[in-house]
C-alpha cells in the first residue's frame, strides 16, 4: 500500500478575475523510505499540490482528485477535523521561508511543544524535555537554552532546523519539504539537506522534496515528478530521468544543467511559465519548446505510456529523438 | 531604553509650553473674567470690582500674569481654584480617579467587544457579519457623543428605566469612605451589600457612550490587522501543525494582530479624555472633564490652566506606557531588534 497516493489531482482557485487551475492532473505516489522529488520552475503548482495533500489550501481553492489516499485513509472522505488531526502528526510539512514560518511572538520551545500537546497530549514537564531532545536531534547546539529563544534570535538555518524539529515532533510517516533550502546560504543548504535525509533514513519516513536543484534531485531522489504550469509533464525513476528524459521540458532542464556548475539552481530556459492569463492553446510548453511543430500550438497533448515517462507530449523523446506520435502520422 | 525614554520625555516639553500658553490665552479671550461671572447680573460698585480684581492679580498686565503663572508652575505650584479655594492639584487628584475609572471601563468595553468582533469579521471576511460590523463601526466613530448619550439616557433610562441616569452611585442608599477614589473598588471595600453592583450599573451607560468611538477604531484596526496576519507564513505553519482553528486564530494570529491595536489604543487616549469631558457632563459624572467644563463657566483661570496641563501630562504618560507595553507584547522590540 502506497503511503501517499494521489491520482489526477486538480486544484482550481476562484480568483477575482475568474477561475484559475493551478494544478491540473498531477499524480503523486510516495512510500515509506522513499524520496520523491518534485521539480519545475516557480509557479508550476508544486506548492499548491502539496498544500492540497495537507489540506492547507484556502477556501477559494477547489480540490478534486480521482484518488487521494494517505496511509490507507481516503483523505477526501475524512471530516475536516479528522484531516486536521493527521496534519502535524502523520504527515508534516516544512516550508521555503523558515524565518517567516515561525511565529515571532512565541518561543521556539512553545511552538514545538504545541504540536506535542495537540497530538500526543504530553504534559508540561514531558513536553519540555521532549522539546530539548528534538532540538538536539536536529543539531541545534545548546538546545535547552535555544528552546527559550524567540525566532528573531535565530539565523535562517537554525530556523529551518527548528521547523524540522517541529515537523518531526510526532514522528510523522510522511514529510513534505517545500524548497527547504532555497532561502538559505549555499553552505547551510547542504547541511539542512543532509539532516533531512538522515532523519528520513532514521525514521523510515516518506519524503517529498520540492526543489529547484537538479543536482539535489540526482543525489537524493528515488523518483522524480516534473511539473510545468500546473501539469505533470513527466514522472520517472531518477536514474531513468537523467539517462533519458522523455519530455522536451525535462530535456531542456537537464541540457541547461551546467557541468562545471558554480550555480546549481534550476537552469534558465528562454521564456516564462504561463500564468492565469497567458495560457497558450495546445501544449502549454509549446511556445518554449525546441521540438514544437504546428499541432503542438493547437492541440493539447495526451499522456504517453510509462515506458516514455508518462510524458505529456505529442512527440515524446527517446534518446533525445522525438518519437512520431499519432498526430504526426495523421499528417497534422 | 532609558535614553530613549528620556528623549521622548524631552520631546514633550515644547508641547507643554504651547499648551500652557494656549490655555492661558484662550480662557482670557472668553468674554467676562472670574469676578464678573461671580457677580452676575446684579453688578457691584466699580471700586469693589477693582478690589476683587486686584485680589486675584487680574489688574496686572497679561504678560506679568503669564510670567507669574509660569514661575509658580516651575515650583510645582498649580495655583488655587478661585471657585473652591482648594489647591488645583489637590482638586485634580480628587476628581481624577472618577475619570480614570470611567475611561478604564470605556476602554475595556471597546476592547472586549471590538477585538473579538474585528477578529471574527476578518476570519469571515465579506460575510454579512463583516459588512454589518464595518458599517456599524463607521457610525460608531463618527457618532456625536452628546447626541448618542442623550439617546441612550432617553431610551434605556427614561423609557425602559433599566439603568440610572447620572452620578457614580446612589448616594441616598449607599454612603461609604472612598480611600481609592475608584467607586467600584471602594464599594467592594465598604462591605455594603449591593454597593458594588450599583456602582457598576452607574458605569454602564457612560462607559458605552465614551467607549463607542474607541470601539469603532479598535474593531476596524483589529480586522485589518488580522486580515494581514492571516496571510502570514506562520499562520500556515500553525495550521500545518494540526492545531484547532480556534487556536490558530485565537493564539497565533490574534497575538500578532494585536500589536498595532495596542498602539491604536494608546493613541486614542487623548480622544478618550476629550470624550470624557462631554460624557461626564451628560451623566453628571464628577470627574475631571465635568470639572473643566464648569471651570470654563466660572472663568476659574487657575483650575482650567492647571487642569488642562495635568490632563495632558496624563495623556503623554499613557503614551509612554503604551510604548512599554508594546515592547512587552512584541519580543522583537523587547530585544532591541
Ligand atoms: N491562494 C491562491 N489563490 C490564487 N492563486 C494561487 C494561490 N496560491 C497559489 N496560486 C497560484 O498557483 C500557481 C502555482 O503556485 P505554486 O504552487 O506556489 O507554485 P510553485 O510552488 O511551483 O512555485 C501560481 O501561479 C500562483 O500564483
Ligand atoms: Mg512553491
Amino acid at each position: 500500500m502506497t503511503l501517499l497516493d494521489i491520482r489526477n489531482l486538480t486544484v482550481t482557485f476562484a480568483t477575482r478575475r475568474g477561475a484559475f487551475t493551478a494544478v491540473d492532473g498531477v499524480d503523486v505516489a510516495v512510500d515509506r523510505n522513499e524520496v520523491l522529488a518534485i521539480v519545475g520552475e516557480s509557479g508550476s503548482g508544486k506548492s499548491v499540490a502539496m498544500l492540497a495533500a495537507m489540506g492547507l489550501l484556502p477556501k477559494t481553492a477547489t480540490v478534486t482528485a480521482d484518488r487521494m489516499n494517505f496511509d490507507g485513509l481516503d483523505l477526501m472522505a475524512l471530516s475536516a477535523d479528522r484531516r486536521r488531526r493527521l496534519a502535524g502528526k502523520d504527515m508534516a510539512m516544512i516550508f521555503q521561508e523558515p524565518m517567516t514560518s515561525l511565529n515571532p511572538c512565541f518561543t521556539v520551545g512553545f511552538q514545538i511543544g504545541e504540536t506535542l500537546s495537540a497530538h500526543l497530549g504530553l504534559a508540561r514537564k514531558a513536553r519540555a524535555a521532549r522539546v530539548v531532545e528534538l532540538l538536539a536531534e536536529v543539531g541545534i547546539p545548546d538546545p535547552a537554552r535555544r528552546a527559550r529563544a524567540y525566532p528573531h534570535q535565530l539565523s535562517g538555518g537554525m530556523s529551518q532546523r527548528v521547523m524540522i524539529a517541529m515537523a518531526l515532533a510526532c514522528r510523522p510517516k510522511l514529510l513534505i519539504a517545500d524548497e527547504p533550502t532555497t532561502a538559505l546560504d549555499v553552505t547551510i543548504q547542504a547541511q539542512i539537506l543532509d539532516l533531512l535525509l538522515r532523519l528520513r533514513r532514521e525514521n523510515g519516513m516518506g519524503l517529498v522534496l520540492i526543489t529547484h536543484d537538479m543536482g539535489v534531485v540526482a543525489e537524493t531522489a528515488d523518483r522524480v515528478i516534473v511539473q510545468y504550469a500546473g501539469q505533470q509533464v513527466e514522472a520517472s525513476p531518477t536514474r531513468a530521468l537523467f539517462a533519458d528524459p522523455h519530455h522536451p521540458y525535462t530535456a531542456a532542464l537537464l541540457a541547461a544543467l551546467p557541468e562545471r556548475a558554480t550555480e546549481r539552481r534550476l537552469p534558465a530556459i528562454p521564456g516564462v511559465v504561463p500564468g492565469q492569463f497567458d495560457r497558450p492553446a495546445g501544449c502549454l510548453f509549446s511556445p518554449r519548446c525546441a521540438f514544437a511543430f504546428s499541432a503542438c500550438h493547437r492541440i493539447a497533448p495526451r499522456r504517453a505510456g510509462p515506458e516514455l515517462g508518462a510524458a505529456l507530449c505529442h512527440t515524446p523523446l527517446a534518446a533525445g529523438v522525438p518519437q512520431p506520435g499519432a498526430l504526426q502520422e495523421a499528417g497534422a | 531604553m532609558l535614553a530613549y525614554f528620556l528623549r521622548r520625555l524631552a520631546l514633550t516639553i515644547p508641547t507643554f509650553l504651547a499648551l500652557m500658553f494656549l490655555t492661558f490665552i484662550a480662557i482670557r479671550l472668553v468674554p467676562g473674567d472670574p469676578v464678573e461671572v461671580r457677580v452676575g447680573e446684579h453688578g457691584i460698585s466699580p471700586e469693589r470690582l477693582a478690589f476683587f480684581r486686584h485680589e486675584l492679580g487680574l489688574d496686572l498686565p497679561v504678560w506679568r500674569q503669564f510670567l507669574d503663572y509660569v514661575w509658580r508652575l516651575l515650583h510645582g505650584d498649580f495655583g488655587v481654584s478661585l471657585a473652591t479655594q482648594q489647591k488645583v492639584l489637590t482638586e485634580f487628584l480628587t476628581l481624577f480617579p472618577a475619570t480614570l475609572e470611567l475611561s478604564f471601563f470605556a476602554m475595556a468595553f471597546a476592547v472586549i467587544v471590538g477585538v473579538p468582533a474585528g477578529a471574527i469579521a476578518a476570519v469571515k471576511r465579506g460575510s454579512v457579519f463583516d459588512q454589518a460590523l464595518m458599517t456599524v463601526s463607521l457610525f460608531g466613530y463618527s457618532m456625536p457623543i452628546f447626541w448618542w448619550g442623550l439617546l441612550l439616557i432617553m431610551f434605556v433610562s427614561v423609557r425602559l428605566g433599566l439603568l440610572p441616569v447620572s452620578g457614580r452611585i446612589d448616594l441616598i442608599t449607599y454612603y461609604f469612605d472612598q480611600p481609592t477614589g475608584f467607586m467600584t473598588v471602594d464599594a467592594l471595600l465598604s462591605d455594603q451589600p449591593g454597593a458594588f453592583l450599583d456602582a457598576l450599573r452607574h458605569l454602564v451607560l457612560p462607559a458605552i457612550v465614551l467607549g463607542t468611538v474607541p470601539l469603532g477604531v479598535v474593531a476596524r484596526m483589529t480586522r485589518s490587522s488580522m486580515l494581514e496576519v492571516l496571510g502570514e507564513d506562520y499562520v500556515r505553519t500553525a495550521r500545518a501543525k494540526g492545531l484547532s482553528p480556534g487556536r490558530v486564530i485565537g493564539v497565533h494570529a490574534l497575538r500578532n494582530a494585536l500589536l498595532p491595536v495596542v498602539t491604536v489604543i494608546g493613541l486614542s487616549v487623548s480622544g478618550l479624555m476629550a470624550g470624557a469631558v462631554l460624557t461626564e457632563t451628560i451623566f453628571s459624572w464628577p470627574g475631571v472633564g465635568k470639572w473643566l467644563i464648569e471651570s470654563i463657566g466660572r472663568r476659574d483661570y487657575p483650575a482650567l490652566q492647571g487642569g488642562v496641563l495635568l490632563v495632558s501630562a496624563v495623556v503623554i504618560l499613557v503614551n509612554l506606557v503604551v510604548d512599554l507595553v508594546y515592547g512587552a507584547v512584541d519580543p522583537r522590540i523587547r530585544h532591541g531588534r
Side-chain angles (χ1 to χ4, degrees), chain A residues 51 54 56 84 87-88 95 97 100-106 110-111 114-115 118-119 150 152-153 163 166, chain B residues 123 232-234 236-237 239-245 247 251-253 255-256 259 329 331-332 334-335 337:
Chain A
L51 290 171
M54 289 286 293
L56 292 179
R84 180 165 63 69
F95 304 97
E97 298 285 346
T100 55
S101 292
L102 290 167
N103 193 325
C105 282
F106 300 103
F110 173 88
Q111 294 185 56
E114 238 184 344
T115 316
H119 296 295
Y150 286 90
H152 70 267
Q153 298 168 313
M163 286 295 293
M166 199 179 316
Chain B
V123 172
E232 295 285 349
D233 286 349
Y234 52 76
R236 185 184 56 193
T237 305
R239 296 204 297 129
K241 291 200 289 194
L243 302 180
S244 67
R247 201 169 163 90
V251 175
H252 284 266
R255 176 69 187 264
N256 285 276
L259 299 179
V329 184
R332 282 165 298 190
R334 184 157 74 233
H335 295 108
R337 274 258 299 251

Side-chain angles (χ1 to χ4, degrees), chain A residues 13-15 20-23 40-49 51 57-58 60-61 96 178-179 210 212 227 230 274-276 279:
Chain A
F13 288 107
T15 72
F20 169 54
T21 304
V23 175
E41 286 158 292
S42 257
S44 49
K46 307 181 297 294
S47 300
V48 170
L51 290 171
L57 287 173
T60 53
Q96 184 172 346
D178 186 354
E179 303 195 32
I210 299 176
H212 268 166
Q227 266 183 231
Q276 183 174 2
R279 303 233 136 191

Side-chain angles (χ1 to χ4, degrees), chain A residues 185-204:
Chain A
D185 289 347
V186 181
T187 45
I188 312 292
Q189 290 187 359
Q191 294 176 15
I192 294 291
L193 206 66
D194 286 345
L195 173 67
L196 276 176
L197 292 172
R198 192 195 88 212
L199 293 168
R200 196 225 20 124
R201 215 170 35 240
E202 288 172 5
N203 294 293

